[in-house]
mmCIF file of all heavy atoms in Angstrom:
data_model
loop_
_atom_site.group_PDB
_atom_site.id
_atom_site.type_symbol
_atom_site.label_atom_id
_atom_site.label_comp_id
_atom_site.label_asym_id
_atom_site.label_seq_id
_atom_site.Cartn_x
_atom_site.Cartn_y
_atom_site.Cartn_z
ATOM 1 N N PHE A 1 129.623 12.681 50.455
ATOM 2 C CA PHE A 1 128.621 13.730 50.280
ATOM 3 C C PHE A 1 129.002 14.659 49.131
ATOM 4 O O PHE A 1 128.175 14.998 48.271
ATOM 5 C CB PHE A 1 128.480 14.521 51.585
ATOM 6 C CG PHE A 1 127.664 15.771 51.473
ATOM 7 C CD1 PHE A 1 126.280 15.728 51.592
ATOM 8 C CD2 PHE A 1 128.273 17.009 51.239
ATOM 9 C CE1 PHE A 1 125.524 16.886 51.488
ATOM 10 C CE2 PHE A 1 127.517 18.164 51.133
ATOM 11 C CZ PHE A 1 126.137 18.095 51.256
ATOM 12 N N ALA A 2 130.277 15.077 49.084
ATOM 13 C CA ALA A 2 130.732 15.990 48.043
ATOM 14 C C ALA A 2 130.759 15.314 46.675
ATOM 15 O O ALA A 2 130.382 15.922 45.654
ATOM 16 C CB ALA A 2 132.114 16.532 48.394
ATOM 17 N N ALA A 3 131.217 14.068 46.629
ATOM 18 C CA ALA A 3 131.294 13.355 45.348
ATOM 19 C C ALA A 3 129.910 13.139 44.755
ATOM 20 O O ALA A 3 129.728 13.244 43.529
ATOM 21 C CB ALA A 3 132.017 12.026 45.543
ATOM 22 N N ASN A 4 128.919 12.838 45.586
ATOM 23 C CA ASN A 4 127.555 12.605 45.096
ATOM 24 C C ASN A 4 126.905 13.878 44.567
ATOM 25 O O ASN A 4 125.934 13.807 43.815
ATOM 26 C CB ASN A 4 126.692 12.019 46.217
ATOM 27 C CG ASN A 4 127.125 10.627 46.604
ATOM 28 O OD1 ASN A 4 127.723 9.910 45.801
ATOM 29 N ND2 ASN A 4 126.848 10.229 47.848
ATOM 30 N N ARG A 5 127.435 15.031 44.947
ATOM 31 C CA ARG A 5 126.868 16.312 44.498
ATOM 32 C C ARG A 5 127.722 16.995 43.431
ATOM 33 O O ARG A 5 127.570 18.174 43.167
ATOM 34 C CB ARG A 5 126.661 17.234 45.704
ATOM 35 C CG ARG A 5 125.420 16.834 46.499
ATOM 36 C CD ARG A 5 125.484 17.312 47.928
ATOM 37 N NE ARG A 5 124.272 16.912 48.664
ATOM 38 C CZ ARG A 5 124.058 15.679 49.111
ATOM 39 N NH1 ARG A 5 124.960 14.726 48.911
ATOM 40 N NH2 ARG A 5 122.939 15.392 49.762
ATOM 41 N N GLY A 6 128.628 16.232 42.829
ATOM 42 C CA GLY A 6 129.363 16.722 41.672
ATOM 43 C C GLY A 6 130.587 17.560 41.971
ATOM 44 O O GLY A 6 131.114 18.213 41.063
ATOM 45 N N TYR A 7 131.062 17.565 43.208
ATOM 46 C CA TYR A 7 132.282 18.302 43.521
ATOM 47 C C TYR A 7 133.495 17.507 43.068
ATOM 48 O O TYR A 7 133.537 16.280 43.180
ATOM 49 C CB TYR A 7 132.372 18.585 45.023
ATOM 50 C CG TYR A 7 131.395 19.633 45.491
ATOM 51 C CD1 TYR A 7 130.169 19.271 46.052
ATOM 52 C CD2 TYR A 7 131.688 20.985 45.375
ATOM 53 C CE1 TYR A 7 129.260 20.233 46.489
ATOM 54 C CE2 TYR A 7 130.798 21.955 45.810
ATOM 55 C CZ TYR A 7 129.588 21.566 46.364
ATOM 56 O OH TYR A 7 128.690 22.517 46.782
ATOM 57 N N SER A 8 134.502 18.229 42.576
ATOM 58 C CA SER A 8 135.711 17.562 42.085
ATOM 59 C C SER A 8 136.781 17.430 43.161
ATOM 60 O O SER A 8 137.624 16.534 43.080
ATOM 61 C CB SER A 8 136.288 18.336 40.893
ATOM 62 O OG SER A 8 136.663 19.653 41.287
ATOM 63 N N ASP A 9 136.760 18.325 44.159
ATOM 64 C CA ASP A 9 137.786 18.293 45.203
ATOM 65 C C ASP A 9 137.180 18.689 46.538
ATOM 66 O O ASP A 9 136.210 19.460 46.600
ATOM 67 C CB ASP A 9 138.939 19.252 44.864
ATOM 68 C CG ASP A 9 139.708 18.814 43.636
ATOM 69 O OD1 ASP A 9 140.654 18.032 43.775
ATOM 70 O OD2 ASP A 9 139.345 19.251 42.530
ATOM 71 N N LEU A 10 137.796 18.184 47.592
ATOM 72 C CA LEU A 10 137.381 18.506 48.956
ATOM 73 C C LEU A 10 138.600 19.017 49.727
ATOM 74 O O LEU A 10 139.659 18.385 49.712
ATOM 75 C CB LEU A 10 136.815 17.264 49.657
ATOM 76 C CG LEU A 10 136.506 17.392 51.160
ATOM 77 C CD1 LEU A 10 135.374 18.382 51.393
ATOM 78 C CD2 LEU A 10 136.184 16.031 51.763
ATOM 79 N N ILE A 11 138.457 20.165 50.370
ATOM 80 C CA ILE A 11 139.517 20.734 51.203
ATOM 81 C C ILE A 11 139.022 20.771 52.641
ATOM 82 O O ILE A 11 137.981 21.371 52.927
ATOM 83 C CB ILE A 11 139.908 22.151 50.742
ATOM 84 C CG1 ILE A 11 140.535 22.102 49.342
ATOM 85 C CG2 ILE A 11 140.877 22.791 51.719
ATOM 86 C CD1 ILE A 11 140.888 23.471 48.791
ATOM 87 N N VAL A 12 139.769 20.111 53.534
ATOM 88 C CA VAL A 12 139.432 20.084 54.955
ATOM 89 C C VAL A 12 140.536 20.834 55.707
ATOM 90 O O VAL A 12 141.702 20.436 55.682
ATOM 91 C CB VAL A 12 139.320 18.648 55.490
ATOM 92 C CG1 VAL A 12 138.918 18.668 56.962
ATOM 93 C CG2 VAL A 12 138.310 17.854 54.670
ATOM 94 N N LEU A 13 140.171 21.921 56.376
ATOM 95 C CA LEU A 13 141.124 22.731 57.141
ATOM 96 C C LEU A 13 140.981 22.410 58.622
ATOM 97 O O LEU A 13 139.867 22.386 59.154
ATOM 98 C CB LEU A 13 140.870 24.217 56.904
ATOM 99 C CG LEU A 13 141.044 24.704 55.458
ATOM 100 C CD1 LEU A 13 140.548 26.133 55.320
ATOM 101 C CD2 LEU A 13 142.490 24.610 55.027
ATOM 102 N N ASN A 14 142.110 22.161 59.262
ATOM 103 C CA ASN A 14 142.118 21.847 60.689
ATOM 104 C C ASN A 14 142.857 22.938 61.461
ATOM 105 O O ASN A 14 143.571 23.756 60.878
ATOM 106 C CB ASN A 14 142.781 20.485 60.930
ATOM 107 C CG ASN A 14 142.000 19.355 60.295
ATOM 108 O OD1 ASN A 14 140.790 19.255 60.468
ATOM 109 N ND2 ASN A 14 142.686 18.516 59.537
ATOM 110 N N GLU A 15 142.693 22.920 62.780
ATOM 111 C CA GLU A 15 143.318 23.937 63.620
ATOM 112 C C GLU A 15 143.846 23.309 64.897
ATOM 113 O O GLU A 15 143.449 22.203 65.288
ATOM 114 C CB GLU A 15 142.321 25.050 63.954
ATOM 115 C CG GLU A 15 141.139 24.590 64.788
ATOM 116 C CD GLU A 15 140.171 25.702 65.096
ATOM 117 O OE1 GLU A 15 140.479 26.867 64.802
ATOM 118 O OE2 GLU A 15 139.092 25.400 65.652
ATOM 119 N N ASP A 16 144.766 24.030 65.536
ATOM 120 C CA ASP A 16 145.317 23.627 66.824
ATOM 121 C C ASP A 16 145.547 24.889 67.640
ATOM 122 O O ASP A 16 146.162 25.845 67.154
ATOM 123 C CB ASP A 16 146.628 22.857 66.631
ATOM 124 C CG ASP A 16 147.196 22.363 67.951
ATOM 125 O OD1 ASP A 16 146.400 22.018 68.835
ATOM 126 O OD2 ASP A 16 148.429 22.329 68.093
ATOM 127 N N GLN A 17 145.028 24.900 68.865
ATOM 128 C CA GLN A 17 145.112 26.067 69.737
ATOM 129 C C GLN A 17 144.553 27.314 69.048
ATOM 130 O O GLN A 17 145.160 28.384 69.051
ATOM 131 C CB GLN A 17 146.566 26.298 70.178
ATOM 132 C CG GLN A 17 147.118 25.169 71.011
ATOM 133 C CD GLN A 17 148.541 25.397 71.466
ATOM 134 O OE1 GLN A 17 149.175 26.386 71.084
ATOM 135 N NE2 GLN A 17 149.066 24.507 72.279
ATOM 136 N N LYS A 18 143.414 27.126 68.400
ATOM 137 C CA LYS A 18 142.659 28.197 67.747
ATOM 138 C C LYS A 18 143.382 28.809 66.540
ATOM 139 O O LYS A 18 143.060 29.916 66.102
ATOM 140 C CB LYS A 18 142.300 29.308 68.739
ATOM 141 C CG LYS A 18 141.431 28.839 69.897
ATOM 142 C CD LYS A 18 141.069 29.995 70.803
ATOM 143 C CE LYS A 18 140.198 29.517 71.964
ATOM 144 N NZ LYS A 18 139.802 30.645 72.854
ATOM 145 N N LYS A 19 144.365 28.083 65.979
ATOM 146 C CA LYS A 19 145.093 28.564 64.812
ATOM 147 C C LYS A 19 145.095 27.482 63.741
ATOM 148 O O LYS A 19 145.323 26.309 64.059
ATOM 149 C CB LYS A 19 146.533 28.933 65.180
ATOM 150 C CG LYS A 19 146.643 30.106 66.136
ATOM 151 C CD LYS A 19 148.098 30.399 66.442
ATOM 152 C CE LYS A 19 148.226 31.572 67.423
ATOM 153 N NZ LYS A 19 149.660 31.866 67.738
ATOM 154 N N PRO A 20 144.854 27.828 62.464
ATOM 155 C CA PRO A 20 144.916 26.819 61.400
ATOM 156 C C PRO A 20 146.306 26.196 61.329
ATOM 157 O O PRO A 20 147.314 26.896 61.383
ATOM 158 C CB PRO A 20 144.613 27.629 60.130
ATOM 159 C CG PRO A 20 143.930 28.867 60.612
ATOM 160 C CD PRO A 20 144.493 29.158 61.962
ATOM 161 N N ASN A 21 146.340 24.871 61.217
ATOM 162 C CA ASN A 21 147.652 24.205 61.224
ATOM 163 C C ASN A 21 147.815 23.136 60.148
ATOM 164 O O ASN A 21 148.929 22.659 59.936
ATOM 165 C CB ASN A 21 147.912 23.578 62.594
ATOM 166 C CG ASN A 21 147.036 22.359 62.853
ATOM 167 O OD1 ASN A 21 145.898 22.291 62.374
ATOM 168 N ND2 ASN A 21 147.544 21.397 63.593
ATOM 169 N N SER A 22 146.739 22.751 59.431
ATOM 170 C CA SER A 22 146.895 21.711 58.418
ATOM 171 C C SER A 22 145.748 21.788 57.410
ATOM 172 O O SER A 22 144.691 22.374 57.669
ATOM 173 C CB SER A 22 146.937 20.317 59.055
ATOM 174 O OG SER A 22 145.708 20.018 59.689
ATOM 175 N N MET A 23 146.013 21.176 56.254
ATOM 176 C CA MET A 23 145.015 21.146 55.182
ATOM 177 C C MET A 23 145.029 19.774 54.536
ATOM 178 O O MET A 23 146.090 19.243 54.193
ATOM 179 C CB MET A 23 145.316 22.226 54.134
ATOM 180 C CG MET A 23 144.335 22.223 52.965
ATOM 181 S SD MET A 23 144.660 23.564 51.783
ATOM 182 C CE MET A 23 146.174 22.959 51.014
ATOM 183 N N LEU A 24 143.856 19.206 54.366
ATOM 184 C CA LEU A 24 143.690 17.926 53.689
ATOM 185 C C LEU A 24 143.033 18.194 52.345
ATOM 186 O O LEU A 24 141.945 18.760 52.278
ATOM 187 C CB LEU A 24 142.821 16.990 54.538
ATOM 188 C CG LEU A 24 142.730 15.534 54.073
ATOM 189 C CD1 LEU A 24 144.056 14.822 54.284
ATOM 190 C CD2 LEU A 24 141.617 14.810 54.825
ATOM 191 N N LEU A 25 143.712 17.790 51.253
ATOM 192 C CA LEU A 25 143.205 18.003 49.901
ATOM 193 C C LEU A 25 142.871 16.652 49.299
ATOM 194 O O LEU A 25 143.753 15.802 49.124
ATOM 195 C CB LEU A 25 144.245 18.739 49.051
ATOM 196 C CG LEU A 25 143.910 18.950 47.568
ATOM 197 C CD1 LEU A 25 142.611 19.738 47.410
ATOM 198 C CD2 LEU A 25 145.055 19.664 46.865
ATOM 199 N N VAL A 26 141.587 16.445 48.999
ATOM 200 C CA VAL A 26 141.098 15.162 48.481
ATOM 201 C C VAL A 26 140.532 15.383 47.087
ATOM 202 O O VAL A 26 139.649 16.227 46.901
ATOM 203 C CB VAL A 26 140.017 14.557 49.398
ATOM 204 C CG1 VAL A 26 139.613 13.175 48.907
ATOM 205 C CG2 VAL A 26 140.498 14.502 50.837
ATOM 206 N N HIS A 27 141.039 14.621 46.119
ATOM 207 C CA HIS A 27 140.471 14.661 44.773
ATOM 208 C C HIS A 27 139.383 13.600 44.680
ATOM 209 O O HIS A 27 139.617 12.425 44.990
ATOM 210 C CB HIS A 27 141.552 14.414 43.722
ATOM 211 C CG HIS A 27 141.055 14.548 42.314
ATOM 212 N ND1 HIS A 27 140.649 15.757 41.792
ATOM 213 C CD2 HIS A 27 140.887 13.621 41.337
ATOM 214 C CE1 HIS A 27 140.263 15.578 40.538
ATOM 215 N NE2 HIS A 27 140.386 14.291 40.244
ATOM 216 N N LEU A 28 138.217 14.010 44.272
ATOM 217 C CA LEU A 28 137.061 13.119 44.249
ATOM 218 C C LEU A 28 136.848 12.544 42.849
ATOM 219 O O LEU A 28 137.185 13.178 41.855
ATOM 220 C CB LEU A 28 135.815 13.893 44.694
ATOM 221 C CG LEU A 28 135.920 14.543 46.084
ATOM 222 C CD1 LEU A 28 134.712 15.420 46.351
ATOM 223 C CD2 LEU A 28 136.065 13.487 47.163
ATOM 224 N N PRO A 29 136.311 11.317 42.750
ATOM 225 C CA PRO A 29 135.817 10.492 43.864
ATOM 226 C C PRO A 29 136.837 9.509 44.437
ATOM 227 O O PRO A 29 136.643 8.981 45.518
ATOM 228 C CB PRO A 29 134.663 9.720 43.214
ATOM 229 C CG PRO A 29 135.101 9.550 41.793
ATOM 230 C CD PRO A 29 135.891 10.792 41.438
ATOM 231 N N ASN A 30 137.930 9.252 43.739
ATOM 232 C CA ASN A 30 138.819 8.155 44.131
ATOM 233 C C ASN A 30 140.233 8.607 44.486
ATOM 234 O O ASN A 30 141.161 7.803 44.456
ATOM 235 C CB ASN A 30 138.900 7.121 42.997
ATOM 236 C CG ASN A 30 137.554 6.520 42.652
ATOM 237 O OD1 ASN A 30 136.778 6.180 43.546
ATOM 238 N ND2 ASN A 30 137.254 6.402 41.373
ATOM 239 N N GLY A 31 140.427 9.864 44.828
ATOM 240 C CA GLY A 31 141.761 10.321 45.207
ATOM 241 C C GLY A 31 142.543 10.810 44.007
ATOM 242 O O GLY A 31 141.991 10.952 42.912
ATOM 243 N N PRO A 32 143.819 11.135 44.225
ATOM 244 C CA PRO A 32 144.613 10.948 45.445
ATOM 245 C C PRO A 32 144.325 11.994 46.529
ATOM 246 O O PRO A 32 143.591 12.947 46.292
ATOM 247 C CB PRO A 32 146.054 11.086 44.940
ATOM 248 C CG PRO A 32 145.945 11.996 43.764
ATOM 249 C CD PRO A 32 144.634 11.658 43.118
ATOM 250 N N THR A 33 144.933 11.793 47.685
ATOM 251 C CA THR A 33 144.754 12.670 48.838
ATOM 252 C C THR A 33 146.121 13.149 49.322
ATOM 253 O O THR A 33 147.067 12.362 49.351
ATOM 254 C CB THR A 33 144.033 11.925 49.975
ATOM 255 O OG1 THR A 33 142.735 11.526 49.514
ATOM 256 C CG2 THR A 33 143.883 12.814 51.196
ATOM 257 N N ALA A 34 146.209 14.410 49.667
ATOM 258 C CA ALA A 34 147.460 14.978 50.179
ATOM 259 C C ALA A 34 147.177 15.703 51.485
ATOM 260 O O ALA A 34 146.148 16.370 51.635
ATOM 261 C CB ALA A 34 148.083 15.941 49.163
ATOM 262 N N TYR A 35 148.116 15.566 52.421
ATOM 263 C CA TYR A 35 148.012 16.228 53.717
ATOM 264 C C TYR A 35 149.153 17.237 53.821
ATOM 265 O O TYR A 35 150.324 16.878 53.696
ATOM 266 C CB TYR A 35 148.092 15.203 54.850
ATOM 267 C CG TYR A 35 148.074 15.809 56.231
ATOM 268 C CD1 TYR A 35 146.875 16.188 56.829
ATOM 269 C CD2 TYR A 35 149.253 16.003 56.947
ATOM 270 C CE1 TYR A 35 146.855 16.744 58.097
ATOM 271 C CE2 TYR A 35 149.249 16.547 58.215
ATOM 272 C CZ TYR A 35 148.045 16.917 58.781
ATOM 273 O OH TYR A 35 148.033 17.462 60.036
ATOM 274 N N PHE A 36 148.815 18.506 54.033
ATOM 275 C CA PHE A 36 149.806 19.572 54.133
ATOM 276 C C PHE A 36 149.753 20.185 55.529
ATOM 277 O O PHE A 36 148.669 20.420 56.063
ATOM 278 C CB PHE A 36 149.532 20.686 53.112
ATOM 279 C CG PHE A 36 149.533 20.234 51.681
ATOM 280 C CD1 PHE A 36 148.350 19.913 51.042
ATOM 281 C CD2 PHE A 36 150.716 20.138 50.971
ATOM 282 C CE1 PHE A 36 148.339 19.503 49.730
ATOM 283 C CE2 PHE A 36 150.721 19.733 49.653
ATOM 284 C CZ PHE A 36 149.536 19.410 49.028
ATOM 285 N N ARG A 37 150.935 20.471 56.091
ATOM 286 C CA ARG A 37 150.991 21.290 57.298
ATOM 287 C C ARG A 37 151.014 22.751 56.882
ATOM 288 O O ARG A 37 151.704 23.119 55.934
ATOM 289 C CB ARG A 37 152.244 20.961 58.106
ATOM 290 C CG ARG A 37 152.176 19.616 58.812
ATOM 291 C CD ARG A 37 153.202 19.569 59.938
ATOM 292 N NE ARG A 37 153.124 18.291 60.645
ATOM 293 C CZ ARG A 37 153.990 17.300 60.473
ATOM 294 N NH1 ARG A 37 154.969 17.439 59.621
ATOM 295 N NH2 ARG A 37 153.866 16.177 61.153
ATOM 296 N N LEU A 38 150.274 23.586 57.591
ATOM 297 C CA LEU A 38 150.193 25.016 57.284
ATOM 298 C C LEU A 38 150.964 25.820 58.326
ATOM 299 O O LEU A 38 150.927 25.511 59.519
ATOM 300 C CB LEU A 38 148.732 25.476 57.255
ATOM 301 C CG LEU A 38 147.819 24.831 56.214
ATOM 302 C CD1 LEU A 38 146.410 25.401 56.346
ATOM 303 C CD2 LEU A 38 148.347 25.047 54.818
ATOM 304 N N SER A 39 151.647 26.865 57.858
ATOM 305 C CA SER A 39 152.363 27.757 58.763
ATOM 306 C C SER A 39 152.412 29.149 58.143
ATOM 307 O O SER A 39 152.100 29.329 56.962
ATOM 308 C CB SER A 39 153.783 27.235 59.024
ATOM 309 O OG SER A 39 154.522 27.178 57.813
#
């Protein structure tokens, strides 16, 4: 969806027990992708 609309990167933030705990950074359209733990 993001790549088709001209976005260069996608950031997905996740949470655990109502607190942010990780971040997924995707470079569009073909990567690379990095997964970071947040603290």
